[in-house]
Amino acid sequence: MPRLTILSERQKGVVEAVETHFPSACHGFCLRYVSENFRDTFKNSKLVNIFWNAVYALTPVEFEAKISEMVEISQDVIPWLQNFLPQLWAVSCFDGVRYDHFTLGVTELLYNWALECHELPIVQMMEHIRHQLAFWFEERRDTGMRLTSSILVPSAEKRITEATMDARCYQVLRANEVEFEIVSTERTNIVDISSRICSCRRWQIYGIPCAHAAAALISCGQTVQLFAEPCFTVASYRETYSQVINPIPDKYLWNELGQGADGGGIQVEIKIRPPKTRRPPGRPKKKVLRVENLKKPKRVVQCGRCHLLGHSQKKCTLPI
């Protein structure tokens, strides 16, 4: 089973929770959070551009070269990298597989759903989110059923088409049944189609054959689409949304008899209890209202010079 990859802003509580419940997972930074922190820290457009080149560098050698360029501009990059370790966000250093998902886009979508109903009671809010998910699943089930002419989903098919077009410019030298040497005007890359590895590392990182891999596969008569990761196939897309979100009857039926495990009727009763709370330390603060203060009329200030109400003699602004 592949290792789970989790992206977040790595707050202390989230890091502790992931280490407790998912100890083998790869827990990385949300790239948007890291980039905004870098931009706000240095406020240098040239440095930010080099930073993005370092983020998407495919090999450690390319990454180190970009880091050296940033250090030449500002030595403060070194302590920043100590706080934001490259192993948690850089493409060339991250241990997990993110399949080109570097930000928290999906969670932002769910957060926007919650904003639409955050003022509702908890039951109505959960019902709103359930309705949204049911609509989402149904819409994507219909989309999956219409994808009948391709092996991969449209986004992956687009990348395969681009890689195939670029592969026409390469020279392919076959070493054996599975290893190939791909020669171009820029550099030479080694491709192993059995292990699904290319020396440029794009195939391993993104899960879709790169242009070098496409050139090797085409040269030996293989179908390039079959060498993409299973998560990009139409079959996986359909399976993802195959589960049904069951309908729930109206709340006035919730207390009626339900069907038991053995076929008998049981009384279904839902009780939502308040969350457990702890009494804070120290003496509780409370405002004491005395009965005599409630009955006592409020004193009205009268000016001693102009005899008007609402201000004192010291604050009187009328001319003498």
Side-chain angles (χ1 to χ4, degrees):
M1 182 177 179
R3 295 176 63 185
L4 183 66
T5 298
I6 298 175
L7 300 180
S8 71
E9 296 181 359
R10 290 186 62 88
Q11 296 95 335
K12 181 180 178 181
V14 177
V15 172
E16 294 176 353
V18 171
E19 291 177 352
T20 301
H21 300 285
F22 306 100
S24 62
C26 297
H27 187 192
F29 272 114
C30 168
L31 192 54
R32 179 182 299 174
Y33 172 75
V34 176
S35 62
E36 290 178 352
N37 186 282
F38 186 89
R39 182 193 60 197
D40 296 339
T41 302
F42 296 99
K43 297 180 174 64
N44 186 322
S45 59
K46 183 178 179 180
L47 204 58
V48 171
N49 292 334
I50 301 175
F51 167 79
W52 282 112
N53 293 331
V55 167
Y56 291 108
L58 297 176
T59 62
V61 176
E62 297 174 0
F63 176 78
E64 291 297 334
K66 297 301 177 182
I67 294 298
S68 300
E69 292 183 26
M70 290 193 292
V71 173
E72 290 178 0
I73 298 175
S74 174
Q75 291 291 329
D76 295 334
V77 173
I78 297 176
W80 187 89
L81 291 174
Q82 293 174 351
N83 294 328
F84 294 88
L85 297 176
Q87 293 84 350
L88 302 177
W89 51 268
V91 171
S92 61
C93 305
F94 190 70
D95 291 334
V97 181
R98 291 175 286 187
Y99 298 115
D100 204 19
H101 290 279
F102 301 113
T103 61
L104 306 178
V106 176
T107 58
E108 290 179 359
L109 176 61
L110 298 176
Y111 179 73
N112 292 332
W113 286 356
L115 283 180
E116 297 176 2
C117 56
H118 72 283
E119 295 182 354
L120 297 175
I122 183 64
V123 175
Q124 285 84 341
M125 183 177 70
M126 295 302 297
E127 279 294 285
H128 178 83
I129 295 176
R130 187 181 66 84
H131 292 163
Q132 292 281 10
L133 288 174
F135 174 77
W136 193 11
F137 270 56
E138 177 63 23
E139 185 180 47
R140 281 156 177 76
R141 273 196 295 266
D142 294 340
T143 302
M145 296 305 297
R146 291 195 297 267
L147 298 175
T148 57
S149 59
S150 60
I151 301 174
L152 306 179
V153 294
S155 59
E157 281 286 349
K158 181 180 178 181
R159 291 194 175 188
I160 292 290
T161 303
E162 294 173 353
T164 304
M165 295 292 292
D166 295 338
R168 297 177 181 179
C169 304
Y170 298 151
Q171 179 185 1
V172 181
L173 302 177
R174 186 167 188 172
N176 51 45
E177 292 296 326
V178 296
E179 290 184 327
F180 298 81
E181 182 179 347
I182 312 300
V183 182
S184 66
T185 56
E186 299 176 353
R187 56 180 296 180
T188 299
N189 291 276
I190 307 301
V191 175
D192 187 337
I193 61 175
S194 65
S195 303
R196 301 190 177 190
I197 293 175
C198 179
S199 58
C200 76
R201 301 188 72 242
R202 186 177 296 273
W203 195 359
Q204 302 93 287
I205 292 174
Y206 294 102
I208 297 176
C210 59
H212 313 111
L217 293 169
I218 293 172
S219 67
C220 60
Q222 297 287 344
T223 303
V224 182
Q225 287 82 351
L226 297 178
F227 287 81
E229 289 295 323
C231 61
F232 293 106
T233 61
V234 174
S236 296
Y237 184 88
R238 292 173 179 173
E239 185 178 0
T240 301
Y241 300 101
S242 61
Q243 300 297 322
V244 178
I245 299 179
N246 295 317
I248 296 178
D250 194 77
K251 61 182 181 180
Y252 74 90
L253 299 174
W254 289 357
N255 290 328
E256 292 189 357
L257 291 178
Q259 190 71 18
D262 55 354
I266 58 174
Q267 185 71 25
V268 178
E269 185 176 0
I270 300 176
K271 291 184 178 180
I272 302 178
R273 301 184 181 277
K276 295 182 179 180
T277 57
R278 295 180 60 184
R279 183 178 178 273
R283 185 175 181 178
K285 297 180 181 180
K286 56 183 179 180
K287 186 177 180 180
V288 179
L289 296 177
R290 300 181 181 276
V291 179
E292 55 270 18
N293 292 339
L294 298 176
K295 296 181 180 180
K296 185 178 179 180
K298 187 176 180 180
R299 181 172 174 268
V300 180
V301 181
Q302 184 178 14
C303 179
R305 186 159 61 86
C306 65
H307 303 292
L308 295 178
L309 301 178
H311 65 273
S312 62
Q313 184 177 352
K314 293 182 179 180
K315 297 181 179 180
C316 184
T317 58
L318 293 178
I320 298 176

